[in-house]
């Protein structure tokens, strides 16, 4: 293991008759510092955040190097979830450690509080990098930050969010070419040259340059946020012919009708038209192609850290902001739905004290990333909705608790301009031909997902029907049958009460607020 002792202040040994216990005591203290890093705050942290990468539909299949270098070298979480299946609210949850109902980011628009002045004055001012900066971390960001970052109404490209020392952030939406960056507050324009501009590679190159130029006497935090596999799914030239025979998975809920689901899921024609199936198959292949460059990024970054003798002193997290679907319940492509394919996310972590090739089954949320990283830094972790999962991946680091149920929430978004092809369905958004729409103003829901006693999901919509969906994930992993009319009314009432408690929770009350033992926590 590479030494990290240079970053850990030596502790004075106990005195015996006014004389310090000799060198053995100091040596033991330093060894303890290596193992129990949270007491030292000396370890580096890297967060790699992909965009729209599912785990349910094979989204990690192209990531052979990443699975080897992070997953096999540490812990893979088989039940990792986003608390909301949409980019800006999810990213805001990652940065703050809080549920959307507490950071108040509803969707990807400025009016939905994405990177708005309200966000900037409130949650962003006490986000993860701010706390890490107080712990003397050098902080580096490269990639996509929040969807509305750089908008004129949000302060433009000159604005650098608090806590960041080195800033290379995408201005505007998702791009692989032809974009602008804010580079430490100065606009930098990019074109369509692969060697100079391909965004995934640029993020990697800027991160490698940072590692060469950083101050060697300080720990660092790097957040790398590549565009893949988000639209427009532009692969690097060398990968544009890969996976030519691959199609979207046909199992589970693919091309199934949503007859017993919320009205939005009842609209798509079933079976899907062959043109829709061909389209989503093409998207599926292109998504995988874009991920090959992210896989290369991980490999080169790990190699660089190893060459710098920092790899064994660095925690590397790999995850995504939300999942994705391609044809499930006859919806062509998107996220924003309450089902496992949209809310489950990849999560792999390697670092000091984490045994290799672990599969961690305990549920973990993206709001847990911030408190976990703050624990690594040695910070006094502020009260957040999330909770550290250090003990789940490295039990030797101390006792902890496993979350056994949690909240999923989404604020539906409708287009302010009526879609002429959807005259009978006002307030819809992200529509395909024949009024197959992925979101709507009343696609607003909250869910309780349980893992102890019952493997269930209970969801209620904020609409005129107060529509409810409930699934038994043990007998129906694909969520094909809404069992709300078959389940014991007493259990329904308990799930509803649990949902109400979650929707009003904040901080520690989000950790343990079980109704009648429904979400009984386990101690690890």
């Amino acid at each position: 293991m590479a030494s990290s002792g240079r970053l850990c202040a030596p502790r004075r040994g106990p005195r015996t008759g006014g004389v310090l216990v000799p060198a053995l005591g100091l040596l033991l203290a330093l060894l303890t510092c290596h193992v129990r890093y949270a007491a030292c705050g000396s370890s580096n942290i890297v967060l790699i955040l992909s965009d729209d990468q599912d785990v349910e539909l094979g989204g990690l299949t192209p990531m052979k190097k990443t699975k080897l270098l992070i997953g096999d070298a540490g812990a893979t979480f088989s039940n990792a979830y986003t608390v909301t299946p949409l980019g800006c609210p999810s990213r805001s949850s990652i940065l703050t450690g809080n549920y959307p109902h507490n950071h108040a980011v509803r969707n990807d628009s400025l009016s939905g509080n994405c990177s708005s002045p309200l966000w900037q004055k409130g949650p962003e001012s006490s986000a993860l990098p701010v706390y890490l900066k107080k712990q003397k971390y050098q902080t580096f960001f490269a990639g996509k930050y929040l969807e509305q970052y750089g908008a004129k109404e949000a302060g433009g490209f000159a604005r650098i969010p608090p806590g960041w020392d080195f800033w290379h952030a995408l201005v505007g939406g998702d791009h692989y070419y032809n974009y602008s960056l804010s580079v430490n507050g100065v606009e930098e324009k990019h074109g369509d040259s692969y060697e100079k501009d391909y965004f995934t590679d640029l993020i990697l190159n800027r991160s490698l340059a940072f590692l060469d130029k950083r101050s060697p006497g300080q720990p660092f935090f790097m957040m790398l946020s590549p565009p893949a596999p988000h639209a427009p799914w532009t692969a690097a030239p060398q990968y544009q012919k890969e996976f030519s025979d691959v199609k979207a998975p046909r199992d589970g809920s693919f091309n199934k009708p949503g007859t017993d689901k919320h009205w939005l899921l009842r609209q798509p024609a079933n079976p899907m038209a062959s043109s829709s199936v061909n389209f989503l198959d093409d998207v599926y292949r292109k998504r995988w192609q874009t991920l090959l460059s992210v896989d290369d990024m991980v490999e080169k970054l790990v190699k660089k850290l190893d060459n710098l003798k920092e790899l064994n002193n660095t925690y590397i997290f790999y995850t995504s902001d939300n999942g994705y679907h391609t044809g499930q319940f006859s919806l062509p492509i998107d996220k924003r739905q309450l089902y496992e394919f949209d809310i489950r996310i990849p999560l792999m972590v390697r670092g000091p004290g984490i045994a290799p090739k672990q599969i961690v089954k305990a549920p973990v949320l993206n709001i847990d990333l911030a408190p976990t990283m703050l624990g690594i830094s040695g910070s006094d972790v502020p009260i957040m909705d999330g909770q550290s999962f250090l003990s789940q991946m490295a039990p030797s680091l101390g006792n902890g608790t496993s979350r056994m149920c949690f909240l999923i929430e989404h604020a539906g978004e409708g287009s302010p301009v009526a879609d002429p092809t959807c005259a009978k369905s006002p307030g819809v958004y992200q529509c395909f031909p024949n009024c197959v729409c992925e979101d709507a103003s009343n696609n607003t829901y909250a869910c309780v997902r349980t893992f102890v006693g019952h493997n269930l999901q209970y969801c209620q919509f904020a609409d005129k029907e107060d529509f409810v969906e409930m699934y038994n994930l043990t007998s129906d992993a694909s969520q094909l049958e809404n069992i709300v009319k078959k389940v014991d009314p007493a259990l329904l009432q308990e799930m509803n009460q649990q949902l109400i408690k979650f929707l009003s929770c904040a901080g520690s009350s989000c950790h343990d607020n079980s109704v009648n033992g429904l979400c009984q926590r386990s101690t690890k």
Side-chain angles (χ1 to χ4, degrees):
M1 178 181 288
S3 173
S4 61
R6 56 171 171 52
L7 298 175
C8 186
R11 296 177 181 175
R12 298 187 66 188
R15 291 183 179 272
T16 304
V19 180
L20 283 173
V21 173
L24 178 60
L26 178 58
L27 177 61
L28 289 173
L30 288 173
L31 288 174
T32 301
C33 179
H34 281 293
V35 178
R36 296 188 60 81
Y37 57 85
C40 308
S42 63
S43 295
N44 311 308
I45 306 169
V46 176
L47 171 60
I48 302 171
L49 178 66
S50 63
D51 197 342
D52 284 3
Q53 186 175 9
D54 70 275
V55 67
E56 281 279 297
L57 306 178
L60 282 174
T61 303
M63 313 292 291
K64 294 180 180 179
K65 301 169 185 176
T66 301
K67 289 188 287 186
L68 174 66
L69 295 171
I70 302 180
D72 288 354
T76 298
F77 291 80
S78 59
N79 287 304
Y81 289 83
T82 179
V83 296
T84 184
L86 185 62
C88 198
S90 175
R91 291 165 183 267
S92 301
S93 287
I94 290 169
L95 289 165
T96 63
N98 290 326
Y99 280 116
H101 68 264
N102 286 325
H103 62 59
V105 178
R106 299 184 299 280
N107 54 49
D108 289 350
S109 68
L110 273 170
S111 61
N113 208 24
C114 180
S115 201
S116 69
L118 181 63
W119 153 264
Q120 295 169 15
K121 293 176 183 178
E124 190 180 54
S125 64
S126 57
L128 174 63
V130 175
Y131 288 108
L132 291 175
K133 188 66 182 169
K134 292 178 181 178
Q135 292 299 108
K136 309 302 181 185
Y137 272 67
Q138 299 167 88
T139 56
F140 172 90
F141 181 88
K144 174 182 173 180
Y145 180 59
L146 300 175
E147 276 72 1
Q148 296 300 323
Y149 171 77
K152 183 178 180 181
E153 300 88 341
F157 58 78
R159 183 180 182 276
I160 304 172
W164 298 104
D165 295 318
F166 301 91
W167 183 250
H168 303 258
L170 179 68
V171 174
D174 299 274
H175 299 276
Y176 294 80
Y177 294 108
N178 299 306
Y179 55 85
S180 289
L181 285 182
S182 170
V183 179
N184 299 321
V186 177
E187 185 178 21
E188 182 179 283
K189 294 185 177 181
H190 287 264
D192 56 5
S193 166
Y194 171 69
E195 291 76 13
K196 297 179 182 178
D197 305 313
Y198 190 67
F199 193 29
T200 303
D201 291 355
L202 181 140
I203 292 169
L204 169 65
N205 294 333
R206 297 289 169 94
S207 67
L208 300 181
F210 162 75
L211 289 172
D212 283 330
K213 297 176 181 178
R214 78 194 194 287
S215 300
Q218 290 177 262
F220 57 81
F221 169 60
M222 301 173 65
M223 183 172 176
L224 310 181
S225 185
H230 196 287
W233 315 294
T234 308
Q238 66 269 29
Y239 294 134
Q240 290 181 0
K241 295 183 179 180
E242 296 293 322
F243 310 120
S244 59
D245 296 329
V246 169
K247 295 182 178 180
R250 277 9 186 203
D251 55 356
S253 58
F254 181 82
N255 207 3
K256 293 290 195 302
T259 53
D260 58 358
K261 293 171 171 52
H262 181 239
W263 76 270
L264 195 64
L265 274 291
R266 301 196 296 266
Q267 303 309 304
N270 181 266
M272 289 184 286
S274 58
S275 57
S276 296
V277 174
N278 292 337
F279 167 73
L280 65 86
D281 277 339
D282 185 54
V283 169
Y284 191 89
R285 284 189 291 271
K286 288 179 177 178
R287 282 166 53 80
W288 275 21
Q289 291 167 356
T290 66
L291 285 168
L292 292 174
S293 292
V294 180
D295 206 34
D296 290 341
M297 169 197 289
V298 171
E299 179 186 42
K300 293 175 182 178
L301 181 63
V302 169
K303 183 178 180 180
K304 182 70 170 182
L305 291 168
D306 195 26
N307 290 340
L308 293 172
K309 310 299 183 192
E310 290 286 2
L311 181 59
N312 291 334
N313 188 40
T314 301
Y315 291 84
I316 305 177
F317 295 73
Y318 185 93
T319 191
S320 179
D321 52 0
N322 47 255
Y324 206 71
H325 59 257
T326 48
Q328 282 59 50
F329 296 119
S330 304
L331 293 172
I333 58 166
D334 199 50
K335 50 266 185 177
R336 306 170 205 254
Q337 305 304 328
L338 56 89
Y339 310 103
E340 294 281 289
F341 44 74
D342 282 357
I343 62 177
R344 276 192 68 208
I345 55 174
L347 177 60
M348 296 175 279
V349 189
R350 68 170 289 168
I354 302 176
K357 296 186 177 180
Q358 293 186 68
I359 302 297
V360 181
K361 296 182 179 180
V364 169
L365 306 179
N366 60 349
I367 58 174
D368 300 334
L369 290 167
T372 300
M373 293 177 189
L374 290 176
I376 289 171
S377 76
S379 171
D380 291 330
V381 181
I383 296 175
M384 296 176 168
D385 299 347
Q387 58 195 78
S388 172
F389 55 85
L390 288 177
S391 62
Q392 274 70 52
M393 59 184 176
S396 62
L397 298 176
N399 296 324
T401 55
S402 296
R403 172 188 288 103
M404 288 294 107
C405 76
F406 52 87
L407 172 70
I408 302 292
E409 51 189 328
H410 173 70
E413 184 177 5
S415 174
V417 179
D419 188 322
T421 66
C422 299
K424 295 181 180 180
S425 301
V428 290
Y429 188 57
Q430 295 289 99
C431 295
F432 292 89
N434 302 316
C435 198
V436 179
C437 302
E438 296 281 356
D439 206 4
S441 55
N442 71 348
N443 185 40
T444 296
Y445 58 81
C447 306
V448 173
R449 181 76 171 84
T450 68
F451 278 83
V452 62
H454 304 281
N455 186 19
L456 300 174
Q457 185 180 26
Y458 170 92
C459 303
Q460 186 162 346
F461 285 80
D463 60 12
K464 294 180 180 179
E465 298 177 283
D466 289 328
F467 197 83
V468 175
E469 295 185 30
M470 188 166 179
Y471 300 97
N472 183 332
L473 277 296
T474 298
S475 60
D476 179 21
S478 298
Q479 297 168 285
L480 298 174
E481 182 185 10
N482 181 2
I483 61 171
V484 67
K485 295 181 180 179
K486 297 181 178 180
V487 74
D488 184 347
L491 178 58
L492 272 182
Q493 185 177 10
E494 287 183 5
M495 297 292 277
N496 178 260
Q497 290 174 347
Q498 186 67 60
L499 181 61
I500 292 170
K501 293 193 74 172
F502 266 136
L503 285 171
S504 61
C505 80
S508 58
S509 68
C510 297
H511 304 168
D512 190 1
N513 59 359
S514 179
V515 173
N516 296 330
L518 188 64
C519 297
Q520 185 66 45
R521 292 152 57 88
S522 66
T523 301
K524 187 174 179 65

